[in-house]
Amino acid sequence: MLNGTCSGAVDSAGVGIAFEFTDWQDDNYTLLPCAVYNGNDFETNDTPYPPMWKEKSEFRFDMPTTTTEVPQLSKESKRIEQTTGDTSVPCMGFHSAAKKMAFSCLPNKAPTLAIMDLQLNSVVRVHAAFS
């Protein structure tokens, strides 16, 4: 709920909205198209982009999905922040198999608006906010 009033003039202003979800599970599938898949919680390799595997041990069928250092949700990082310029479409969402529910937010970005900020905060397995 938005409370309060404003008056006067400004050259530019911003507005934010947050969608909050309780009982967050680490296995919820999070998505920001072309930027974040399943929270990007993959093995990482500290190598420049594009990754060029050079070690013979890295060419194996059982190698886990491995990426360069990218924003990710993990035990160490509970927050991802991207802009709509980082995604193929200005969209973010998640799917919860346990709850049999999904959420998707696809804002209507007018050409006159600046790039929008997309954030996912996953806090201690009980709460998440998409803003």
Side-chain angles (χ1 to χ4, degrees):
M1 179 187 289
L2 186 62
N3 292 318
T5 60
C6 297
S7 64
V10 295
D11 291 331
S12 66
V15 172
I17 186 169
F19 303 93
E20 297 190 3
F21 300 91
T22 57
D23 300 323
W24 184 260
Q25 300 294 313
D26 284 344
D27 62 349
N28 288 349
Y29 189 96
T30 53
L31 171 70
L32 282 81
C34 287
V36 177
Y37 297 94
N38 203 19
N40 286 350
D41 192 12
F42 306 118
E43 298 288 325
T44 59
N45 191 345
D46 188 17
T47 186
Y49 185 85
M52 304 298 285
W53 308 137
K54 296 181 175 125
E55 300 296 322
K56 197 169 193 170
S57 64
E58 295 171 327
F59 292 93
R60 60 184 207 273
F61 289 108
D62 66 338
M63 184 174 177
T65 301
T66 306
T67 67
T68 56
E69 297 288 332
V70 294
Q72 65 181 168
L73 293 178
S74 64
K75 288 180 175 59
E76 294 78 34
S77 173
K78 296 290 186 184
R79 182 173 187 270
I80 290 180
E81 182 173 352
Q82 300 278 272
T83 68
T84 51
D86 297 323
T87 61
S88 59
V89 293
C91 177
M92 61 183 167
F94 77 91
H95 174 255
S96 172
K99 290 186 176 183
K100 297 181 180 175
M101 68 163 287
F103 165 80
S104 180
C105 179
L106 181 61
N108 182 8
K109 182 180 171 232
T112 57
L113 295 178
I115 291 177
M116 289 184 277
D117 189 42
L118 303 171
Q119 297 179 24
L120 170 58
N121 295 290
S122 170
V123 182
V124 196
R125 304 179 101 185
V126 296
H127 176 86
F130 286 75
S131 59

